[in-house]
Amino acid sequence: MGKVTATTTPWATELRDALGPDGVLTDPDVTSSYARDQAMLAPAGLPAAVVLPRSTADVVAVMEVATRHGVPVVPRGAGSGLAGSSNAVDGAITLVMTRMDAVLEVSPADRLAVVQPGVVNKSLRDAVAGAGLFYPPDPSSYDWCTIGGNLSTNSGGLCCVKYGVTTDYVLGLEAVLADGRVLRTGRRTVKGVAGYDLARLFVGSEGTLGVITEATLALRPAPSVPVTLVATFATTAQTGQVVERVVTTGLVPSLLEVMDNTCICAVDDLLKADLDRTAHALLVAQSDAGGEAALREIEALAELCREAGAEFVHTTDDPAEGDLLLQARRMALPALEQLGSTLIDDVAVPRSRIAAFLDGCDAIAAARALTIGVVGHAGDGNMHPTICFDPADADERERAFAAFDDILELGLSLGGTITGEHGVGSIKVDWLEREIGPVALDVHRAIKDALDPAGLLNPGKVFRSAGVRDLAGVRGLVAP
Amino acid sequence: MGKVTATTTPWATELRDALGPDGVLTDPDVTSSYARDQAMLAPAGLPAAVVLPRSTADVVAVMEVATRHGVPVVPRGAGSGLAGSSNAVDGAITLVMTRMDAVLEVSPADRLAVVQPGVVNKSLRDAVAGAGLFYPPDPSSYDWCTIGGNLSTNSGGLCCVKYGVTTDYVLGLEAVLADGRVLRTGRRTVKGVAGYDLARLFVGSEGTLGVITEATLALRPAPSVPVTLVATFATTAQTGQVVERVVTTGLVPSLLEVMDNTCICAVDDLLKADLDRTAHALLVAQSDAGGEAALREIEALAELCREAGAEFVHTTDDPAEGDLLLQARRMALPALEQLGSTLIDDVAVPRSRIAAFLDGCDAIAAARALTIGVVGHAGDGNMHPTICFDPADADERERAFAAFDDILELGLSLGGTITGEHGVGSIKVDWLEREIGPVALDVHRAIKDALDPAGLLNPGKVFRSAGVRDLAGVRGLVAP
């Protein structure tokens, strides 16, 4: 990876003229820190410049300069992504949106907020909490990821089982198109069908269609204090049965998470939490239905656990104890990271196939002689099998990548998708083509070409341009 | 409107060869009955042929023939639309999807259904009710409108205040593109972010991007039996205050509807229901939160009504009485139709502006010397001011159309949208341009051109093609 700088290029000069010198960084020692997101093993180039706009007008200026000079632009938030969506492209501008971090409006009367993309998810949550309101999407990185990044990848989180994902909260967007025009789309109203749903087309498009500069987001009333349940099981089949019964009996917990034995042991090692290391799976669930309704819902869930043969079931309406119980789930990934480098997968399967998916992951771990811990949003079928390996061991590394693909294959074979909430980014471009097929791929390309004919926005991410049959070094570029 | 037939055209022959003679109707006495939807005053041509496919393969054949011969195609469901979206275009094929009416799958374990587009909304509701499941979107025409039409216009209904609109239930779609290729997009999983959200781009696109041939729809657990409230008010300000307090106090009723005095009197005339004809507004609300939670929610709502100065508040947990109370709301449009021809508008405003909107409609009725009854989904701000007039009276007719525009103007001035749930169709093309502006319009055209370069799918609906500055006779074609 050569050091590419843009200190003296005409476009860098034009950008400095427009944004001021502190908005355009070209020192490779600085720009290299913006090269990649949290998908540490995804390919990444080095930004020619890192540009930090303070306003929509700044973003317009950047895109106009980029279009004039044919310079690619990679939009980026805080860099918490897990698919390499915002990884740098050699010679391109990395457009870092973190300085546009204002909560422009919170309207309790219309139950919405208007924000700039650089607002941290938690900051928005805190800003609306004072008005008794709630912004549900809660990716694990909620205390540092930005709303702009959440919009780009259509982030989910623990709340999805009851409250849905980012796109479900998007009323309107402002986005700067590749040529610098400002698109405003959507609305401030609860309902609206005036024209195509461009807002939801842009959400999840991972910065390939435009740079989101403002969002109008629906909020919900603050939920009640949750009641919490933990249960452990001797078999995955039992866990799968509970999830299936939750679905078929119509329970709607506000959280329903699963961890496998590998995760249980890793968390126990890290937290010394005295977890049952022999349990094959652990479920954590919450209900925020409020008062007796929540108690009833959790008791119904406890009964489903007992019917399925749970070894241990515990419930509490003490929020502090609930937080402690959830802590085991929240620490699963940090705990797995103690075991080596991690490749975090992100498959969603139909809820009826969760047990089959967990068993399949066990089989893959055995066949590839690897440690794979599975943690997941059981309530919505979005699972994160996490492969732990030593990247310095070439053979193990190869087996890890093979297992990553095995898991995607397994997910598709069960009627699932290759990505439930992390996105395609740079790590699943081949798999996207496989999942959506040639017609849908052509439609993607047609829409991309219509909005970004020069292919400047986040090139090589999500899918290849027509004619590009191989993304140079998707695997070859992987840094150890 | 000249009678255009296609009996002997080569393309009609090709269609008959592909679909069989009973799938291709060209007798003008028959095809004329497919000329228009329920927006009785919208412009409409006469179909050159009405084609009734029985399968996706049939639709592919139709689009291939249409593309080969450059014949426009207007997709249509049952014809319950209220914006002229499926109104015929002279010389075009009207593609009637009602024979593709199978519920292909109901999966309680994955809480979803897979349906063909011709399934009637109520048939789907009935098909899933047996499994304890619920398909929420409930347009007023739910007992005869089709899911395909609901998808095309992103239909809402009474449930939206709690349960959202059609797009919120769409997991995956199959659609035939203009050139006959079959696009499959979306998923069977709760979550999924693999590529652009094409499903939600097609939902609400009113048949301009493709012909939807299958949909995978999320379902919900069946709700509890509702508890119902009715309240009447002396001023619209009081009604607006209740809605605003509902929002700010975080109540989430499953239904919250409003009728103005004109509607109250019209319904009373029709049903002899002994309604308070002096009341300025009537609210109907329900909670399906279940058991005591529902009683508490309705009692909290009753308290908000009393605080706002309601003249009359009545609540009941008897479902039969609740149905009777709702009946007044459901009969509002039929009752208004007793007063003359109707122009039904469909403005959504931010919920904080409902009182201002109601007052504005009163002022428009006075200024235009017309009867305008306002009925609406107060809980989500989607209002249906309905202008009653005599179309044979040229002056009154002109004032009615002027008032229709006044109402849209009012809606936009309050931060609202020109259509909350009926769509743009052929009646609001000019207004769409006004609402979304030139950049969003260009993006619409770019996407349309990318997917339907020959402009064959539902031409002239939603927005004009680039270069077409005036849709011939949008108002001139209006049939009395």
Side-chain angles (χ1 to χ4, degrees), chain A residues 162-183:
Chain A
K162 181 166 182 177
Y163 293 112
V165 296
T166 299
T167 197
D168 298 316
Y169 294 87
V170 178
L171 297 173
L173 289 182
E174 179 187 83
V176 178
L177 302 177
D179 59 9
R181 286 178 301 163
V182 179
L183 170 70

Side-chain angles (χ1 to χ4, degrees), chain A residues 430 433 441 445 464-471:
Chain A
D430 287 313
E433 295 190 11
L441 182 63
R445 286 175 174 157
R464 295 179 185 86
S465 305
V468 180
R469 296 277 28 121
D470 198 7
L471 190 66

Side-chain angles (χ1 to χ4, degrees), chain A residues 41 341 343 368 370 372 387-390 394-407:
Chain A
L41 301 170
S341 283
L343 273 177
R368 299 289 183 184
L370 288 164
I372 302 179
I387 304 159
C388 308
F389 69 106
D390 175 5
D395 178 66
E396 191 165 314
R397 177 197 174 85
E398 193 174 313
R399 282 183 281 123
F401 278 107
F404 188 84
D405 285 350
D406 291 345
I407 290 166

Side-chain angles (χ1 to χ4, degrees), chain B residues 115-156:
Chain B
V115 302
Q116 290 186 311
V119 171
V120 168
N121 181 295
K122 182 174 188 300
S123 302
L124 173 59
R125 303 167 81 81
D126 292 345
V128 306
L133 294 168
F134 173 44
Y135 177 69
D138 60 345
S140 299
S141 55
Y142 73 97
D143 55 353
W144 67 289
C145 65
T146 64
I147 295 296
N150 296 172
L151 292 164
S152 295
T153 54
N154 191 14
S155 299

Side-chain angles (χ1 to χ4, degrees), chain A residues 107-112 131 133 153-158 160-162 165 167-168 177 181-198 200-206 208-209 219-221 243-244 246-252 290 292-293 296 346 348-353 377 379-382 384 415-424 432 435-436 438-448 450-451 462-463, chain B residues 107-112 131 133 153-158 160-162 165 167-168 177 181-198 200-206 208-209 219-221 243-244 246-252 290 292-293 296 346 348-353 377 379-382 384 415-424 432 435-436 438-448 450-451 462-463:
Chain A
S107 168
D110 291 322
R111 217 184 270 160
L112 59 79
L133 293 169
T153 55
N154 190 15
S155 300
L158 304 190
C160 303
V161 59
K162 181 166 182 177
V165 296
T167 197
D168 298 316
L177 302 177
R181 286 178 301 163
V182 179
L183 170 70
R184 290 194 68 94
T185 188
R187 53 190 202 278
R188 282 176 67 90
T189 55
V190 178
K191 287 159 76 178
V193 293
Y196 298 161
D197 192 346
L198 299 181
R200 280 172 162 159
L201 176 65
F202 276 64
V203 172
S205 65
E206 302 186 26
T208 62
L209 297 178
L219 304 171
R220 293 184 62 97
V243 175
E244 194 162 336
V246 165
V247 175
T248 54
T249 58
L251 297 180
V252 187
E292 287 178 22
R296 264 200 311 276
D346 171 44
V349 294
R351 287 169 289 193
S352 58
R353 310 311 297 275
H377 314 303
D380 55 41
N382 187 188
H384 298 305
T417 174
I418 57 160
T419 173
E421 60 184 5
H422 294 171
V424 176
L432 181 85
E435 175 171 336
I436 70 176
V439 175
L441 182 63
D442 280 352
V443 171
H444 277 71
R445 286 175 174 157
I447 291 171
K448 168 75 173 174
L451 298 190
V462 190
F463 56 92
Chain B
S107 168
D110 290 322
R111 217 183 268 161
L112 60 79
L133 294 168
T153 54
N154 191 14
S155 299
L158 304 189
C160 303
V161 58
K162 182 166 182 176
V165 296
T167 198
D168 298 315
L177 302 177
R181 284 178 302 162
V182 179
L183 170 71
R184 290 194 68 94
T185 188
R187 52 191 202 277
R188 282 177 67 91
T189 54
V190 178
K191 288 160 75 179
V193 293
Y196 298 162
D197 193 347
L198 300 181
R200 279 173 162 157
L201 176 65
F202 276 65
V203 172
S205 66
E206 301 187 25
T208 62
L209 297 179
L219 304 171
R220 292 185 63 96
V243 174
E244 195 163 335
V246 166
V247 175
T248 54
T249 56
L251 297 180
V252 187
E292 286 177 24
R296 263 201 311 276
D346 170 44
V349 294
R351 286 169 290 193
S352 59
R353 311 312 297 275
H377 313 303
D380 55 42
N382 187 189
H384 298 304
T417 173
I418 57 160
T419 175
E421 59 184 6
H422 293 170
V424 177
L432 181 84
E435 175 170 335
I436 70 176
V439 175
L441 183 63
D442 280 352
V443 172
H444 277 72
R445 285 174 175 157
I447 291 171
K448 168 75 172 174
L451 299 191
V462 189
F463 56 91

Side-chain angles (χ1 to χ4, degrees), chain A residues 229-243 276 278-284 298-315:
Chain A
L229 167 148
V230 181
T232 58
F233 300 87
T235 71
T236 48
Q238 294 171 333
T239 323
Q241 181 187 324
V242 171
V243 175
D276 175 4
T278 67
H280 208 81
L282 180 148
L283 275 183
V284 189
I298 287 297
E299 184 43 47
L301 189 51
E303 189 52 34
L304 294 183
C305 291
R306 288 187 284 263
E307 283 172 19
E311 296 177 316
F312 168 80
V313 182
H314 175 68
T315 69

